[in-house]
Amino acid sequence: MKKTAKLLLCFLLILSLLLTAAACSKKEEKQNAAGYYILKTVSEDGEELDLETLGFSKDEAFLLLNEDGTAVLYLFDELTDLTWRNNQLRPVEGENTEPVSFTLEDKLLRFESDGTVLTFKLSKDDPPDLDALREKLAEPDGPVGCYILDSMTMEGTTVDAEQLSALGMSAYIEFYEDGTGIVDLMGDIEDFEWEDDTIYADGEALTFTLEGDVLTVTDGDGVMVFHAGEKPETPTVIPTEPIVYPDELPEGRYYLIEASNGGTTVSGDDLVATGLSDTYIEFRADGTGEIGIMGETEEFTWEGTVMTDSIGETQTYTYDGTCVFFEQGSIAMTFSKDAPAAKGELETYWDGGWYGWWMMENCTGYYADLEGYWWDLCAEIDIDESGTGTISLWDEDFSRDDPLGTVYIRIDTESGADAHGSLVSVSGSFEIGDIGEGDWNASPADAGYDDCLMFTGKVQDGEDSYEYTIVLRPWGTLWDDVEEDFLPYYYDDWYLPLIEENAEMPDYIITE
């Protein structure tokens, strides 16, 4: 294609009416040219050019001539207000007020200059909503604004907004119109530059996508999700008296056991629950070191009580002979050679949310009308390392805080139990029935499916009675290995959408 760059520049100037001189033409007969014209063709030296190659499509270039003598030109994502009379256009604003002439023949409106012709065709369609178009053009180009961290995923481990808050972790990213920005991670601020869908920081390139108010930043296997919001205020920090520590050197590996930010403190148990118990800092005897978090590592050097990272930034720490302490702004972290205790095998398997259903059968007396009724059911199991604890259950009419039943349980790893043991009741209640020692006894393989618990029982209240069945599987399990009539009633409409969002088990079962 010949002289494409010249063509675009030429017509940007011509059609924006910023020429220092205007072409003159003979007066033509007066005609009513009012109407909505869409760019049809562009030609140069008699050769027609492809509009898509030039970056135009329908409604991306148009000229609107109103009956009242006003006009609007839309070209290159810019709206220019004009006035028109006979076959001449004039700009409403600008230093140059010389008219630009056009010709109109057979509903085709043409501009011509130096062999280049731009042709608009009269359209029967309604013109675009100019107010809406002006508002759209006034919006920032790209992700300009502030975005607050919602979740982060590293090495397959996701820390959601609730866990971030519990950990006292706050972060935001801010994009500026000039192509620069900052990221603030718990008070540690770094600059970056951005262009199109890429962020450039510390010699690395991170990609991002923006869908509505949700910004997703990807760095290798790591993903951070942000939402548009107001820039958070920096908390006020009250200085503390300096503490004098001994002169021992902290050689060795230290694990994060406590962290705080702006008054929120995270304990070792919280770190274990959110998968951050293996966060560590290691001081080597040769003056080098390593920081590890969620599978990512960063090297540093150290001397005395000063650490220097790979780009030359320094951080001071203190050491009391047992623990290493960091303070920066409102953030404080404590590292110890003793890592937070991880959950045992029993806790890892049993603790947490379970989901399924329960059904009433062989109903008599008061319960006769409920024969065959069934409800979706959530359960929360909480045991300690010895395998004793509780299970709380709630259906569509109850909640986590107001459960249908709470039963004290123990996990039996003997008596012929499978690899995960059997859940055995100790005492408690379900619906109106009392649950005693051994009334519930089920292992995850008894129902014939992997990780599936099934309890049965009977409630007797005089002549009123019913038998029940409870089926539960760990929250997040896909039930695609069972028959359709074995699925919970709201499995497709309520449960699956939450699982696809990687959501935690809610406090209520919402069925409407």
Side-chain angles (χ1 to χ4, degrees):
M1 183 187 307
K2 299 187 300 178
K3 299 187 291 184
T4 300
K6 175 184 176 183
L7 167 69
L8 295 179
L9 178 58
C10 178
F11 274 93
L12 174 61
L13 296 175
I14 293 175
L15 297 180
S16 299
L17 304 184
L18 299 178
L19 292 173
T20 56
C24 298
S25 63
K26 295 188 298 180
K27 286 188 177 181
E28 299 178 355
E29 292 184 5
K30 184 177 180 180
Q31 54 183 318
N32 186 3
Y36 169 51
Y37 297 83
I38 297 176
L39 181 64
K40 180 176 177 59
T41 63
V42 176
S43 61
E44 183 182 13
D45 296 334
E47 177 184 353
E48 187 170 322
L49 306 179
D50 182 69
L51 291 183
E52 289 189 5
T53 302
L54 295 176
F56 292 111
S57 62
K58 181 177 172 59
D59 293 342
E60 287 196 348
F62 65 80
L63 177 64
L64 177 62
L65 304 182
N66 297 313
E67 294 282 359
D68 62 0
T70 61
V72 175
L73 173 68
Y74 180 49
L75 189 68
F76 296 104
D77 291 329
E78 291 189 10
L79 280 172
T80 303
D81 292 314
L82 314 167
T83 61
W84 71 281
R85 183 178 180 183
N86 295 331
N87 67 333
Q88 293 187 329
L89 290 161
R90 291 178 182 271
V92 172
E93 297 180 354
E95 297 180 359
N96 179 32
T97 59
E98 293 292 329
V100 170
S101 298
F102 62 84
T103 62
L104 179 62
E105 183 177 356
D106 295 331
K107 301 181 181 180
L108 297 177
L109 189 150
R110 293 185 176 87
F111 294 94
E112 182 176 359
S113 176
D114 296 330
T116 303
V117 178
L118 199 67
T119 302
F120 291 81
K121 183 178 180 180
L122 184 65
S123 174
K124 294 181 180 179
D125 297 335
D126 294 330
D129 184 332
L130 294 181
D131 290 337
L133 183 56
R134 292 182 195 277
E135 184 176 343
K136 178 181 178 182
L137 294 176
E139 294 177 354
D141 183 21
V144 173
C146 184
Y147 299 83
I148 312 301
L149 182 64
D150 270 339
S151 69
M152 57 191 300
T153 301
M154 299 290 290
E155 297 290 322
T157 300
T158 298
V159 182
D160 61 23
E162 184 177 348
Q163 293 170 323
L164 288 170
S165 177
L167 290 168
M169 294 179 65
S170 62
Y172 68 88
I173 186 169
E174 191 168 12
F175 294 81
Y176 304 134
E177 291 185 4
D178 63 359
T180 64
I182 61 169
V183 58
D184 184 326
L185 178 60
M186 298 179 67
D188 185 11
I189 299 177
E190 292 192 13
D191 298 322
F192 64 84
E193 296 181 354
W194 66 276
E195 182 179 22
D196 297 328
D197 61 353
T198 305
I199 294 172
Y200 302 96
D202 292 336
E204 297 183 0
L206 291 70
T207 60
F208 68 84
T209 59
L210 179 62
E211 296 183 9
D213 290 339
V214 178
L215 176 81
T216 303
V217 180
T218 303
D219 178 13
D221 294 331
V223 177
M224 292 179 288
V225 179
F226 299 77
H227 72 273
E230 295 293 329
K231 183 175 179 179
E233 295 183 2
T234 303
T236 301
V237 181
I238 300 176
T240 57
E241 291 294 326
I243 302 175
V244 178
Y245 295 102
D247 297 329
E248 294 96 332
L249 297 178
E251 294 175 13
R253 176 171 290 195
Y254 297 76
Y255 294 90
L256 181 64
I257 61 170
E258 185 176 276
S260 63
N261 182 18
T264 301
T265 299
V266 181
S267 66
D269 290 341
D270 296 324
L271 294 167
V272 170
T274 53
L276 293 174
S277 59
D278 60 351
T279 300
Y280 68 86
I281 182 167
E282 181 176 351
F283 296 86
R284 306 185 187 112
D286 62 359
T288 65
E290 178 181 276
I291 297 175
I293 178 171
M294 297 180 72
E296 295 289 322
T297 60
E298 176 72 22
E299 293 287 324
F300 65 86
T301 59
W302 64 283
E303 183 177 0
T305 58
V306 178
M307 295 167 48
T308 305
D309 64 19
S310 58
I311 61 173
E313 294 188 357
T314 60
Q315 172 67 47
T316 301
Y317 62 88
T318 54
Y319 177 60
D320 67 354
T322 303
C323 295
V324 175
F325 305 90
F326 291 89
E327 288 190 14
Q328 182 174 356
S330 62
I331 303 166
M333 291 180 287
T334 302
F335 290 77
S336 169
K337 286 189 175 181
D338 297 322
K343 289 185 178 181
E345 291 184 7
L346 288 182
E347 293 174 279
T348 300
Y349 180 79
W350 290 97
D351 267 1
W354 293 66
Y355 167 73
W357 52 268
W358 78 285
M359 173 183 284
M360 297 173 63
E361 297 177 289
N362 299 321
C363 302
T364 66
Y366 176 80
Y367 299 103
D369 291 340
L370 296 178
E371 177 67 31
Y373 271 49
W374 64 324
W375 296 264
D376 282 32
L377 188 68
C378 285
E380 182 77 24
I381 295 178
D382 183 13
I383 62 171
D384 59 24
E385 60 184 7
S386 70
T388 61
T390 60
I391 178 172
S392 297
L393 310 99
W394 62 96
D395 63 13
E396 303 146 30
D397 300 319
F398 291 82
S399 68
R400 188 193 299 267
D401 293 333
D402 181 25
L404 181 64
T406 299
V407 179
Y408 288 95
I409 61 172
R410 58 183 173 83
I411 305 302
D412 181 6
T413 57
E414 301 177 357
S415 305
D418 71 7
H420 299 297
S422 296
L423 187 151
V424 181
S425 62
V426 176
S427 64
S429 64
F430 178 74
E431 218 267 336
I432 67 166
D434 292 330
I435 307 298
E437 171 71 31
D439 289 346
W440 289 358
N441 190 332
S443 71
D446 285 350
Y449 303 105
D450 291 338
D451 303 319
C452 186
L453 290 173
M454 180 179 289
F455 307 124
T456 58
K458 183 174 181 178
V459 172
Q460 185 76 46
D461 184 15
E463 296 182 355
D464 306 323
S465 67
Y466 66 87
E467 296 176 1
Y468 63 83
T469 299
I470 296 173
V471 174
L472 294 170
R473 304 185 82 175
W475 179 266
T477 301
L478 296 178
W479 294 48
D480 50 9
D481 56 342
V482 306
E483 300 294 331
E484 186 172 356
D485 59 2
F486 199 75
L487 291 173
Y489 188 81
Y490 291 104
Y491 175 81
D492 290 320
D493 297 333
W494 180 75
Y495 177 74
L496 271 186
L498 291 174
I499 299 309
E500 290 170 355
E501 295 174 3
N502 199 30
E504 297 291 330
M505 186 172 68
D507 295 338
Y508 300 87
I509 299 174
I510 307 298
T511 59
E512 297 181 357

